[in-house]
Amino acid sequence: MIMAIVKKELLQLRRDPRLMGLIIVMPLVLMILFAVALKLEPNNVKMAYLDEDRSFFSDLIKTGLWSDGYFEMYEVKTEADIIEEIRSGRAKSGMHISKDFSALLTENQQPHITLYVDGTMPSLTTAMKYNSSAATDEGVTNDMYFLDEDAPNTVIAEAPFVMDTEILFNPDEKETWFFLPGVIGVLIMQIALILTGITIVREREQHTLEQLFVTPISKFSFIIGKLLPYVVITLIDFYVILGVGWLLFDLPQPSSHLLLFALAFVYVAVMISLGLFISLISQTQQQAMFVAIFIIVPSILLSGFIFPIEAIPASVRVISYLLPFTYFVEIIRGLLIKQTLLVDLLPAYGALMAFVVVFVSASVMKFKRSL
Amino acid sequence: MIEAEKLVKSFKGVRRVDEVSLHVKKGEIFGLLGPNAAGKTTVIRMLCGIMEADNGSVRINNTSVQNAKKDFGYVAQYFGQYAELTVFENLKFYAEMYGVRDEKRLEALIERYQLSAFRDSEAGALSGGYKRRLALVCALAHDPKVLFLDEPTAGIDPVTRKLLWDDFYALSAEGKTLFVTTHYMEEAARCHQLAFIAEGKMIAQGTPSSIKSALGDVLVYSVKISYTPEMTKAIDGVDGVVLTNQFGDDLHIVTEKQVDKRVLEEVMGSVYGEEITLSESEPDLEDVFIALTQGGRK
């Protein structure tokens, strides 16, 4: 008898080709995607540097960092610029070589170089500390010893120079600061996609949609009416989750409450409209759930939330930029931890708004009055 | 009131509705009769604007379906109300879809359809009969001129079915036009006008009595006899027999006029082992229905 049920279940699954497709294709795609994409070691990390020394030696250090492909370096004018570049998100790291570097080096005074790291990205800081050792490789430092080892009364420093790493924005490397801002986005994504993902499919499955189609309601009013309650519920959820972060987990206050609300609103709008689109392309609630998961899992892994985007190969990184969550992570870290200025967050806000437009238009096009 | 001209609808390249035209007058109860999968639901959906026709046109109350939405109500074949909402909440919702906020009118509707006892019960908990009444009440919330009913009494007990039909007559007497799809003969017989479709094609149209003539020149014989497959096979083998139809111990045989009654009696007698006498009667709607359906399939 158990076998009869097993057979029936398998037959039913086989008759739902879309679901079967999702069951087979989803793990395959995600497995391959993650195998290619998920690396802990970042590449081409943007580094803003200021080289005041401009000597043969400082060039050696830059070349050392550059040649390993870990860093993509560009020059700025002041030390403050380095921090601003990182705050804005244009750079994830920075380096300052001061004016007296080669002078101190030749006197064997062990000069210091400061390396700045964006402390809002969890694995980036660890990887950066490790990767920046390229600057202290023997190949680089061989030419930097200036006193005769055999001469009496001479103490030679173990390394010709010292690299200080300064972790910006999250100097204590608090893990809650790394993850909590992104967690808010993940939770909102789940709530919104699942709430709205099934909303239309459910009406279809329960035959209420057919009854509604007969009434004079317009496409637009129907969609707005369907979405509004979920927008409000999810917004409330956003602040409840954030409140827990503030009260219990020492999450910092945002640089601007207005900007935070704007983020909450536009992000919720993206997720609700994406949920609506999922609901419109799905025939059953099961299918809608699968499609939602198909979006949630890569969002968590490819958005820079856990693994640095810089570690994702450029070809796959396109997907990162197609995920709304990527922009959410950037903005919320900017607002809560880095105190980034609005002007530097505008492109990310713009991207989120573009998603709303795309998903709403796609939904309206997909939503036919006819069954 | 309802004018449909040459409606065509195909699914996956197969024509499910093939040039169906209908003309329904105001205050009429119009029955669309046909076997399962004949295209009845597709026709009613096209008439209500839920489904677009590939070809042909529909006008309700002299205007397009989209413009006439406030003029008609629709009761789908499946229960299409919200199971989690109460009876009154459902009714109020559908009323508001049409901009109707007159709660007194809604309460009166609930009373008229004996739903008062369930006014605050969740719709999902209602029995089949009451679910139908709720669907009807929701379709009537905005006092439409035309009511489309897709198999309104399917799976309903005879008492509730009669109550619903009494009400359909009352609605018709109030001047409302009713368009009903069905495959129940006794229901078809209650309609003022009937259209018969099979395999998406219109086969006959007219009053229930006139539609019987759709079979053409036929005779119907009946005899009290129990069913045996041998007997049915023998009768079907006689040239000119259109249909055999067993009702319990009553066997109906529909034949073309030129068939000799004595030949038929002889064939049957030889199978039965005793002499058989056939008596003549009028074809009833069911005979017509089956004969036309089989004809459609040929």
Side-chain angles (χ1 to χ4, degrees), chain A residues 19 44 61 65 79 93 110 146 177-178 214 278 282 309:
Chain A
L19 187 64
N44 301 317
I61 291 167
L65 287 173
E79 205 175 345
S93 63
Q110 216 185 21
F146 292 95
W177 288 24
F178 283 147
V214 183
I278 293 174
S282 306
I309 288 187

Side-chain angles (χ1 to χ4, degrees), chain A residues 157-345:
Chain A
E158 274 178 29
F161 65 91
V162 177
M163 216 157 197
D164 300 324
T165 306
E166 194 172 318
I167 294 168
L168 295 173
F169 317 123
N170 185 8
D172 304 328
E173 293 185 70
K174 283 188 195 167
E175 278 169 354
T176 50
W177 288 24
F178 283 147
F179 292 117
L180 269 197
V183 167
I184 299 168
V186 173
L187 295 175
I188 291 303
M189 175 162 47
Q190 284 179 339
I191 294 165
L193 286 190
I194 285 167
L195 268 183
T196 43
I198 61 168
T199 171
I200 304 235
V201 193
R202 208 162 142 235
E203 294 232 18
R204 200 196 300 275
E205 282 188 336
Q206 296 184 348
H207 304 291
T208 48
L209 201 58
E210 185 176 336
Q211 201 70 58
L212 266 179
F213 280 142
V214 183
T215 70
I217 190 164
S218 72
K219 275 182 207 184
F220 188 72
S221 313
F222 176 77
I223 287 188
I224 296 296
K226 284 294 282 186
L227 296 192
L228 260 183
Y230 297 112
V231 170
V232 174
I233 293 169
T234 321
L235 263 180
I236 292 171
D237 250 334
F238 181 93
Y239 276 97
V240 168
I241 299 164
L242 197 65
V244 171
W246 279 329
L247 280 174
L248 301 180
F249 300 106
D250 192 26
L251 204 62
Q253 290 294 319
S255 49
S256 152
H257 276 281
L258 192 68
L259 284 182
L260 185 68
F261 179 76
L263 170 67
F265 187 79
V266 72
Y267 181 64
V268 164
V270 172
M271 286 305 156
I272 296 278
S273 53
L274 177 57
L276 172 75
F277 185 65
I278 293 174
S279 203
L280 286 170
I281 57 170
S282 306
Q283 296 296 321
T284 63
Q285 298 190 43
Q286 261 180 327
Q287 286 176 8
M289 289 291 188
F290 263 92
V291 177
I293 295 168
F294 206 7
I295 292 167
I296 293 170
V297 176
S299 291
I300 293 173
L301 295 175
L302 300 179
S303 57
F305 166 48
I306 297 174
F307 305 102
I309 288 187
E310 284 76 6
I312 298 168
S315 53
V316 185
R317 214 177 296 166
V318 179
I319 296 171
S320 303
Y321 293 116
L322 289 175
L323 296 167
F325 184 55
T326 304
Y327 303 96
F328 175 86
V329 170
E330 185 190 331
I331 299 175
I332 193 121
R333 279 181 178 149
L335 289 178
L336 291 183
I337 320 279
K338 292 159 76 175
Q339 315 284 313
T340 311
L341 299 171
L342 170 63
V343 63
D344 295 318
L345 293 176

Side-chain angles (χ1 to χ4, degrees), chain A residues 31-57:
Chain A
M31 181 67 197
I32 294 167
L33 188 63
F34 296 147
V36 175
L38 295 184
K39 305 259 175 349
L40 281 171
E41 268 194 21
N43 271 304
N44 301 317
V45 176
K46 293 260 168 43
M47 176 182 269
Y49 73 88
L50 173 66
D51 178 7
E52 292 180 300
D53 188 41
R54 291 189 176 276
S55 64
F56 166 71
F57 303 109

Side-chain angles (χ1 to χ4, degrees), chain B residues 141-200:
Chain B
H142 60 294
D143 199 15
K145 295 186 176 77
V146 180
L147 202 55
F148 290 98
L149 302 145
D150 193 4
E151 303 199 2
T153 62
I156 296 296
D157 68 80
V159 177
T160 313
R161 186 178 297 169
K162 186 195 172 295
L163 281 174
L164 282 172
W165 269 95
D166 286 348
D167 189 64
F168 294 166
Y169 281 122
L171 290 169
S172 158
E174 288 166 25
K176 293 192 195 310
T177 308
L178 274 72
F179 186 96
V180 184
T181 70
T182 184
H183 50 235
Y184 290 125
M185 289 313 117
E186 73 267 30
E187 208 158 85
R190 290 172 193 259
C191 297
H192 299 132
Q193 287 286 321
L194 274 181
F196 189 97
I197 63 168
E199 307 222 321

Side-chain angles (χ1 to χ4, degrees), chain A residues 202-203 210-211 213 370, chain B residues 45 50 69 74 80 82 84:
Chain A
R202 208 162 142 235
E203 294 232 18
E210 185 176 336
Q211 201 70 58
F213 280 142
S370 311
Chain B
R45 282 178 169 173
I50 304 169
K69 291 220 151 181
Y74 170 59
Y82 295 92
E84 306 86 347

